[in-house]
Each structure stands twice: as C-alpha cells, then as structure tokens.
Amino acid sequence: NDVDTFRDRLEDLVVPPKVLTRIEEELDKLAVLETGSPEYGTTRNYLDWLTSMPWGVRSQDQLDLGHARTVLDRDHDGLADVKERIVEFLAEGTFKGDVGGSIVLLVGPPGVGKTSVGRSIAEALGREFYRFSVGGMRDEAEIKGHRRTYIGAMPGKLAQALKEVEVENPVIMLDEIDKLGQSFQGDPASALLEVLDPEQNVDFLDHYLDVRLDLSKVLFVCTANTLDSIPPALLDRMEQIRLSGYIAEEKMAIAKNHLWPKLLKRDNIPKKRINLTDAALRQVIEGYAREAGVRQLEKQLHRIVRKAAVKLLESDQQSVKVSVKNLEEYLGAPLFRKEQVLQGEGVVTGLAWTSMGGATLPIEAGKVHSLTRGFKLTGKLGEVMQESANIAYSYVLGHLAEYGADADFFDSAFVHMHVPEGATPKDGPSAGVTMTTALLSLARHQAIDRNLAMTGELTLTGHVLPVGGIREKVIAARRSGIFEVILPEANHRDYDELPEHLKEGMTVHFARRYKDVARVVF
Ligand code: ATP
Ligand code: MG
C-alpha cells in the first residue's frame, strides 16, 4: 500500500536516473520488510522524503516589469531606489531567461522592510516563497541534514523548503545571514557557501537524502543588518541592495498607507471607528518610535488600536479620536523629547552609523582637574575609536594657538572624554573631527550653541578623510532635528546622490582639512 502511494507520487515528476535507481532499491527493500519493524519505519520515512522532492517541477517565471512595479508599489511606500534596483535585476533576468542562480542581499537596519521586500520579489516573479533564519545556527546538519544512521535523522532546511513549496525554483530567503559567521565559525558557514555557490549548488548533497539536489534554479534572497560579518567569498557573489532607513515624512506615509490599515484590518475594526489625527501620528513617530525602521512604530500603533478597542466597547461610543491631546492616555509619557541634542562647553554632536542605522552621537570633553596633564577615555570605545581620540588629542595639543586657544591649556588640564550612552559599544574612525572639535571647544571655553552635527576621520596632519554611511547619517541628523552638518569633502558625491527629499532644507559644509571644520564651528 505504501509502495503504491510512493509510486503514485512519482508519476508527474521527472526524477533523475540515479535518484530513480535509489528509489527502486528502497521500494524493493520495503516490500520484503515486515510492516511495523523499526527498519520498515525508517525506510518508509526515507522514501517519503525522496518522493516528496519536487523533481523537475518548476513554476513559470512571470518576468513582467509592469507587474513587478505594481506589486512593489502596492506593498511599499518610498524605497524608490530599492524598487528600481529590483526592476533592473528582473530586466536582466528577462534577457538571460532566468533569475535563478542569483543571490540578492538586502542589507539595512531592523524594521526597514527587508523581509517584506523579499516577499514582494517572490510575488512579482510569481514564485513560491520560503523563509528561514540562519542567525544563530550552530550545526551544519540544520542546513545539510543528518546522516540516516542517526536516530531521528532529518533532512536539512533546503530539502525541507523544497518539500514545502513543491517546486524546484522558489525564492528562498535566508534571514540574518550576518549573524551566522559571527557566533560560529566553520561548519554552518561553509555549508551555506556550498548552498549559495552556483558552481556547487547544481548538485547539492543533503546528508539525509543522500542523493543530489539541484538548487541552481532557486533565487536566494539574503537579509542582513551589516556587511562586516559576512564572509567576503559570499559577499562577492551577491547583488547588494541597501535599505537605509526612513525619515519622519516617509514614516508618516508608511503608517497611513500600510501599517495602520493593516492593523485595523487584522482586528476587523472599521476604519472610521478609530480616528488617529495626523498630528498625533507625527507625535508617535517623533516621541515614541525614533528608530531607522518602522517596527517600533508598528508596535506603538498596535497599542493604540488595542486601547481604543477597549474604549469602544466600554463606552458605547461610535468612534474614538486619538489626538495629540489624549495620546498619552494611550502610550504613556513620550520616550523621546523633541530636543535631545546635548549642548555645552566641550560637547559636540557627531554622526554614527551602526547596524541599527544612523544615529547622532554626542561627544563630551571635560576638564577634571588642573594638577597634571592627562587624558582619559570612556564610553566602551573600540580600538579604532580610541585611536581617533588619541589623534584628536595630539592634533589639538599641537595646534592650540592656531585655533585661538590658550597655548598651554593642556599643560595643566586632566581631560576626560566620554561618549554616551556608556553601555553601547562603539567603534570606527568617523568621530575624529567630532572629538577634535570637542577638545577645542573645551580649550577655547566656547560652547557650540547651535544644532550642528559632524562626521569625518581625522589624520594627524589635519586631513579630513571620507567615511561611510552618509545617507544613514543624514537621515539620523534630520530625525534629531539637526539641519546643519559638516561632512568630508571626499563624501561630496555621496551627498549629491541622495534623493532630494533628504537634502531639502539641509545646510552642508564640506571639509578637506580640519581648519575647514573649525571655520564653520567657531
Ligand atoms: P528585521 O531586520 O528586523 O528582520 P526587516 O527589514 O525585515 O526587519 P520587515 O519585517 O520587512 O523589516 O518590516 C517591518 C514592518 O514594516 C512590516 O510590517 C513591513 O511590511 C513594514 N514596512 C517596512 N517598510 C515599509 C515600506 N517602505 N512600506 C510599507 N510597509 C513597510
Ligand atoms: Mg526581517
């Protein structure tokens, strides 16, 4: 009976000869085994897997750019450049006749829509979608399966995916690919290389199945928060698409057109029964969800929906209105206040870029006492950042007079430099000019009393070198209400290439040498 079931399954499949031989052998074995014996069970299980693989079954790709644009626009607000990259990618696929064998990498901070864009790629193509997270995977067997001699052996995720989607050419999303190499070297990472390498994945060997699978028709879409921990060999083969985070206006649109309607629909609450004003929505964004993506925003909106639902039921009102006035009844006191920029003597705002997106990074320098000369650093700074601080100190020490400070200020000043918040690890060279400015502000006894932020690496000879993440940093500045920034001249082009809505209303100074920075600041 089992034998018949398995034979039936094979009818519509194009099973490779080697696999067919294996299946036949196993079917013969099953026929002579006693039903109910443990051997029977394992053989049956094995056959079940072998005959559930979608041998030769493929869905027809829908390579229609118009359709793709429609799907992408329907599901996502903004992201114009990301959508365009995807359309370009599909256009290439149209000429090549196939998009399989490619690896797309969507990289960006949490909650910016990577998973959701990946899903839309599958839908645009008319392909099945399967997603699993490789973050924290410790065992190669999760990817490649266990050998059958193992008790309770299972095939790996890739075989499981193919069984689930019933075609050989789905879109498979590998989430958190940057979290793999980080925690566990070696096995899972190299297994993944095998999966993604077009040379090797034509005949991928799952240990459990023990026959070759063709993964070359799969379109792999990986997601990551950062590129740092992805093996270079992998990175080389990927089409990188960057999602860098949203400014308040974009979040407004996303919330109104997607998040809010989605939440109401999920609870089956008619739209007109909860009225969230624009001003209240803006306050949610600025006061409760200051992040690069929209995940917190979605959570806060969900809280509003929940509380409003209670009000609707307990008060017999036909509708409730959520406005700036009563927002705190729903969300409590705001988590962020409008003015978060620290100011004072020795305090300067820098711009940082991490896997969480861009952020403003205040730097504080203070004189502890005047007994000795000295310098100390705190704030969980990485090695590179500590070096930046030392360069800044040396540079300022050597150029005090030039920048209008007391030439012997540091002779009797024990200086402490701190980068809050103290518990968050930070690294990178891009705070060089900011640290220098903080020390100069201290030495000149002059506070910087306007909303100004800066970024740039500084060399010992006072040259300002380019830094990464200009887009993320500009977004972060805007998010904190800072509309004047100093950037390295070498990043001029990166800035020029930003979309208009990010540049609007910004005053930007470009610096080649530190003296260009000082001229703007003091
Ligand atoms: P993580 O790194 O945490 O996995 P992610 O980048 O995969 O985050 P998603 O889960 O795709 O983020 O997005 C979070 C939520 O925000 C989803 O509900 C998604 O639909 C929505 N969203 C994000 N960006 C947009 C956008 N541009 N337009 C509409 N909705 C969006
Ligand atoms: Mg995701």
Side-chain angles (χ1 to χ4, degrees), residues 26-158:
E26 295 291 316
L27 281 173
D28 289 347
K29 197 160 133 195
L30 196 69
V32 299
L33 284 169
E34 192 155 337
T35 333
S37 70
E39 269 256 291
Y40 187 91
T42 42
T43 309
R44 191 187 166 281
N45 211 359
Y46 181 46
L47 273 165
D48 182 33
W49 275 101
L50 279 182
T51 55
S52 312
M53 289 296 112
W55 306 107
V57 182
R58 286 178 205 164
S59 63
Q60 181 72 38
D61 276 347
Q62 191 171 351
L63 287 164
D64 171 349
L65 299 190
H67 171 70
R69 282 189 206 274
T70 311
V71 171
L72 288 166
D73 285 337
R74 185 198 61 203
D75 295 345
H76 302 95
D77 244 289
L79 296 178
D81 44 350
V82 172
K83 291 171 184 167
E84 204 49 39
R85 272 296 301 276
I86 293 169
V87 168
E88 287 167 15
F89 172 76
L90 297 181
E92 273 187 299
T94 310
F95 278 98
K96 273 195 299 190
D98 189 13
V99 292
S102 313
I103 315 168
V104 175
L105 174 66
L106 300 169
V107 56
V112 290
K114 298 181 296 297
T115 302
S116 139
V117 164
R119 232 178 251 287
S120 292
I121 294 178
E123 199 186 330
L125 279 167
R127 285 190 176 207
E128 296 293 327
F129 183 77
Y130 187 90
R131 159 179 170 223
F132 67 95
S133 176
V134 296
M137 252 188 198
R138 35 181 93 231
D139 191 355
E140 183 198 67
E142 290 188 56
I143 291 169
K144 298 194 70 178
H146 301 99
R147 289 178 207 288
R148 259 175 305 135
T149 47
Y150 246 65
I151 295 178
M154 280 267 282
K157 274 287 182 198
L158 279 306

